């Protein structure tokens, strides 16, 4: 979105003595291909992730079109399995994670008073790695035998029976993992080494805290995923039998390794969302964030506990009762720091001077719907109940409430919050509210009925189903179409006009309750900021001198 940055804005930032007025970098396509500026790379990440959101959304709509009524309408069961697998992989690794990395690139240097990310060229490389990985993933549909159809978890022994597209998928995951690790190293070094003088760790914005912790999680678990899929690759081509029962291997071992990555991965996709909400709720409540220190400790607790709950995905694999009890109690325990966060957001809003501009609407929507997703997660944490609900649509409803109404709604909230700072243009508040209400309503129409389908016993990843599930499936499919169209509307009616510079000029601080160094800069943020470290006041939220 910095494509619309007006470089004359440098002059507006002269009062800060921290901007480069003589930037003559590459222009046109070279500016983007060779980008080393954190704002340009953040823009590239955000545009890439939205593109992948649309691709993954099309796959989701094909799934819902097939499930609109009983019987096989559009696709055969094999292609249906390919659609469910690729929808999951593209949304998790192509849409949600890159979007949060885009936010980190844009906002972390601005919030801590750094001139840029620590390793600018590595930053460029970690973005461009994503393009061939995405092409490999999407292109696997056109390979012999079609795309991988083993589910996004890539469980053995299904993965050992797939065609060549499975190898392409494994290679794509390796590339995406390398990109994530490089991005994480960059974020950690930037936050620990490049904060402005006077900004101690406990004065950092919550968004920086959540990303610092997320980056450590990524470095810890991406190699675990790499190990699991490399073992799958050697089973497929080099005669090993890690997961192949015919050679003495154990498919359940794959599940243990995968979920040791997969559960921290869930928190990798939600902790930065918590950070965004923790920036927006105080701004529109005109109050300080309630319990800042407890939020930091809660985030750290979630990160640590996320490593000891992985096997709650595996209650039906023949786990001994002792193991079931441990993972059940550990999962209930991890809900406590999450509840602390929700309490703190509500306490921040309590008796605040609240207004409900679009960023705040998405934040309140996030808190409400994410809480529902959290409660359904607690229900699934109970081993006796989970054994009944395992692999049903109840699980599908649960994780979409956490990931769509969680991660995606927080991303939308962040876009509306910082879009004036990125583009220098105020978005249309009416269009933003249309986007919010259509998204919220259609999201619930899509996924709320899935709880009842799951409770009634409808298994997921099936292309057909008996007549008693027809009505709720029809409702969910209509809701999915509405939700998808709402996101197209978001880009066409909200983001694109701002990128084109259409709309009223944004002031440096469009939200009167917002605090932080980014609001000290002119809008749009100049290409180069804080070239000399700013002098901060005692709260580390304002520049002095």
């Amino acid at each position: 979105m910095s494509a619309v940055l007006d470089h004359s804005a440098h002059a507006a930032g002269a009062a800060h003595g921290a901007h480069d007025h003589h930037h003559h970098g590459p222009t046109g396509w070279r500016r983007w291909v060779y980008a080393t500026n954190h704002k340009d790379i953040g823009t590239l990440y955000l545009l890439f992730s939205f593109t992948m959101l649309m691709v993954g959304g099309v796959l989701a709509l094909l799934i819902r079109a097939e499930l609109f009524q009983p019987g096989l309408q559009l696709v055969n069961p094999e292609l249906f399995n390919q659609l469910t697998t690729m929808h999951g992989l593209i949304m998790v690794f192509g849409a949600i994670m890159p979007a949060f990395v885009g936010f980190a690139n844009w906002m972390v240097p601005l919030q801590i008073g750094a001139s840029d990310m620590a390793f600018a060229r590595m930053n460029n490389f970690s973005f461009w790695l994503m393009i061939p990985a995405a092409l490999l993933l999407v292109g696997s549909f056109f390979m012999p035998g079609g795309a991988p159809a083993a589910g996004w978890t890539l469980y053995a022994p299904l993965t050992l029976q797939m065609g060549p597209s499975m190898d392409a998928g494994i290679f794509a995951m390796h590339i995406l993992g390398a990109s994530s690790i490089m991005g994480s190293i960059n974020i950690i070094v930037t936050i620990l080494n490049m904060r402005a003088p006077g900004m101690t760790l406990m004065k950092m914005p919550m968004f920086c805290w959540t990303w610092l912790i997320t980056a450590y999680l990524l470095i810890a678990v991406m190699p675990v995923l790499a190990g699991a899929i490399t073992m799958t690759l050697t089973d497929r081509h080099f005669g090993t039998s890690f997961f192949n029962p015919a050679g003495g291997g154990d498919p359940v071992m794959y599940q243990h390794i995968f979920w040791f990555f997969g559960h921290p991965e869930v928190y990798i996709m939600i902790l930065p969302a918590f950070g965004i909400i923790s920036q927006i709720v105080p701004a529109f409540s005109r109050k300080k964030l309630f319990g800042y220190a407890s939020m930091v400790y809660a985030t750290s607790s979630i990160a640590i506990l996320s490593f000891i709950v992985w096997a709650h995905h595996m209650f039906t694999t023949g786990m001994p009762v002792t193991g079931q009890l441990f993972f059940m109690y550990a999962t209930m325990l991890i809900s406590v720091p999450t509840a602390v966060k929700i309490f703190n957001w509500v306490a921040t809003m309590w008796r605040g001077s609240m207004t409900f501009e679009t960023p705040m609407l998405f934040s309140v929507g996030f808190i409400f719907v994410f809480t529902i997703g959290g409660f359904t997660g607690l229900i699934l944490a109970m081993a006796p109940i989970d054994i009944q609900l395992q692999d049903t649509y109840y699980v599908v409803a649960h994780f979409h409430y956490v990931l769509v109404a969680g991660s995606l709604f927080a991303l939308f909230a962040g876009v509306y919050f910082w879009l004036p700072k990125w583009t220098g243009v105020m978005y249309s508040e009416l269009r933003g509210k249309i986007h919010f209400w259509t998204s919220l309503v259609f999201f619930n129409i899509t996924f709320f009925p899935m709880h009842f389908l799951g409770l009634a016993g409808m298994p997921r990843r099936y292309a057909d189903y008996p007549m008693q599930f027809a009505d709720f499936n029809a409702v969910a499919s209509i809701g999915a179409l509405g939700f998808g169209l709402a996101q197209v509307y978001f880009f066409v009616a909200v983001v694109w006009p701002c990128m084109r510079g259409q709309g009223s000029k944004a002031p440096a601080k469009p939200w009167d309750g917002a605090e932080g160094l980014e609001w000290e800069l002119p809008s749009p943020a100049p290409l180069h900021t804080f070239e000399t470290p700013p002098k901060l006041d005692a709260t580390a939220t304002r520049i002095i001198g």
Side-chain angles (χ1 to χ4, degrees):
M1 291 143 199
S2 60
V4 295
L5 288 180
D6 173 10
H7 294 297
S8 66
H10 291 203
H16 300 288
H19 311 303
D20 173 15
H21 311 297
H22 308 289
H23 176 67
H24 299 294
T27 55
W29 63 268
R30 285 183 179 81
R31 172 182 174 184
W32 301 103
V33 173
Y34 302 141
T36 51
N37 185 280
H38 71 98
K39 301 178 182 74
D40 286 351
I41 294 172
T43 300
L44 288 169
Y45 267 111
L46 290 169
L47 292 175
F48 170 82
S49 72
F50 188 81
T51 304
M52 297 306 283
L53 182 76
M54 291 294 102
V55 172
V58 168
L59 302 184
L61 289 178
L62 286 170
I63 293 167
R64 288 312 321 170
E66 175 55 56
L67 294 173
F68 182 66
Q69 59 189 40
L72 294 177
Q73 276 74 239
L74 299 174
V75 299
N76 60 33
E78 179 65 18
L79 179 56
F80 185 86
N81 286 343
Q82 294 173 26
L83 292 173
T84 53
T85 301
M86 298 308 293
H87 165 70
L89 288 173
I90 286 170
M91 286 303 202
V92 169
F93 296 103
I96 299 294
M97 288 174 67
F100 282 127
V101 178
F103 269 87
N105 266 288
W106 247 107
M107 299 316 303
V108 166
L110 293 186
Q111 290 191 330
I112 64 173
S115 58
D116 207 308
M117 297 295 279
F119 305 115
R121 291 188 189 279
M122 188 168 82
N123 207 11
N124 174 287
F125 188 45
S126 61
F127 170 76
W128 285 109
L129 276 177
M130 306 200 75
I131 305 300
L135 292 174
L136 272 172
L137 276 179
V138 178
S140 64
F141 277 107
F142 307 103
M143 294 178 183
W152 82 273
T153 51
L154 305 177
Y155 274 1
L158 284 171
T159 44
L160 310 181
Q161 303 158 9
M162 296 283 123
S165 64
M166 191 69 233
D167 303 319
I170 288 172
F171 188 39
M173 303 302 289
H174 273 300
I175 299 172
L176 289 167
S179 169
S180 291
I181 289 170
M182 285 195 287
S184 301
I185 292 169
N186 220 341
I187 289 164
I188 289 169
V189 175
T190 303
I191 290 175
L192 294 185
N193 286 357
M194 298 179 68
R195 299 190 309 282
M199 182 174 283
T200 61
L201 283 174
M202 292 307 281
K203 288 181 180 175
M204 277 199 314
M206 271 308 300
F207 179 67
C208 297
W209 256 117
T210 54
W211 244 117
L212 178 65
I213 292 165
T214 302
Y216 277 111
L217 276 180
L218 272 165
I219 290 174
V221 300
M222 290 312 287
V224 178
L225 175 67
I229 58 179
T230 304
M231 291 154 85
T232 303
L233 195 69
T234 60
D235 274 12
R236 284 169 56 81
H237 297 293
F238 300 108
T240 58
S241 291
F242 290 113
F243 311 129
N244 186 356
D250 183 3
V252 176
M253 183 171 76
Y254 176 87
Q255 295 193 29
H256 277 291
I257 300 170
F258 178 85
W259 285 116
F260 191 79
F261 149 79
H263 206 79
E265 166 68 17
V266 172
Y267 292 101
I268 285 163
M269 290 188 284
I270 201 64
L271 289 182
F274 290 165
I276 292 171
I277 302 303
S278 300
Q279 301 287 130
I280 296 172
V281 168
F284 292 95
S285 304
R286 275 96 184 152
K287 282 174 66 184
K288 292 276 188 193
L289 179 66
F290 180 89
Y292 172 92
S294 65
M295 288 289 249
V296 172
Y297 298 137
T299 309
S300 309
S301 305
I302 289 170
I304 294 162
L305 291 172
S306 72
F307 284 99
I308 63 163
V309 297
W310 78 90
H312 67 207
H313 299 266
M314 300 169 55
F315 284 143
T316 56
T317 57
M319 186 188 300
V321 173
T322 315
Q324 291 186 2
L325 282 170
F326 171 80
F327 286 107
M328 185 168 85
Y329 292 141
T331 306
M332 292 161 71
L333 183 65
I334 204 170
S335 67
V336 175
T338 312
V340 167
K341 288 179 163 297
I342 290 167
F343 173 81
N344 285 9
W345 292 323
V346 174
T348 304
M349 290 187 273
W350 177 252
R351 305 188 77 170
S353 303
M354 293 171 67
T355 53
F356 291 96
E357 289 87 350
T358 312
M360 187 62 167
L361 283 177
F362 267 107
S363 299
V364 175
F366 164 93
I367 294 168
F368 171 67
V369 193
F370 177 80
T371 304
I372 295 174
F375 279 129
T376 57
L378 267 179
I379 289 166
L380 290 169
M382 309 295 166
I385 302 175
D386 182 79
I387 287 165
Q388 298 297 312
L389 297 176
Q390 170 77 9
D391 266 342
T392 67
Y393 266 76
Y394 193 91
V395 178
V396 177
H398 157 67
F399 70 69
H400 281 88
Y401 265 78
V402 173
L403 276 183
V404 181
S407 300
L408 193 64
F409 274 24
L411 286 164
F412 287 142
V415 168
Y416 283 105
F417 189 52
W418 284 306
L419 197 62
K421 183 58 59 183
W422 296 343
T423 63
V425 173
M426 289 303 292
Y427 63 87
S428 163
E429 196 64 58
L430 173 65
R431 293 175 183 178
K433 286 178 174 166
I434 290 170
H435 173 226
F436 168 72
W437 287 111
T438 52
S439 294
L440 186 73
V441 169
F442 281 121
F443 168 80
N444 283 290
I445 290 172
T446 306
F447 294 106
F448 202 73
M450 292 186 189
H451 293 103
F452 302 112
L453 288 170
L455 288 167
M458 181 175 168
R460 63 177 175 169
R461 297 178 182 165
Y462 276 48
D464 194 8
Y465 53 86
M467 187 55 97
Q468 67 260 35
F469 300 137
D471 292 346
F472 275 150
N473 269 299
V475 169
S477 292
I478 293 166
L481 179 62
F483 186 76
L485 292 174
Q487 309 329 312
V488 175
Y489 175 83
F490 162 68
F491 188 81
V492 172
V494 178
V495 175
W496 185 244
C498 288
M499 291 173 67
R500 298 278 304 278
Q502 297 167 359
S504 59
K505 180 159 174 33
K509 189 175 172 183
W511 321 115
D512 59 358
E515 282 194 344
L517 300 188
E518 70 264 38
W519 307 112
E520 301 279 303
L521 300 169
S523 298
L527 192 67
H528 293 280
T529 46
F530 302 128
E531 298 221 316
T532 55
K535 291 187 176 68
L536 307 183
D537 66 0
T539 65
T541 58
R542 296 186 65 82
I543 299 171
I544 53 175

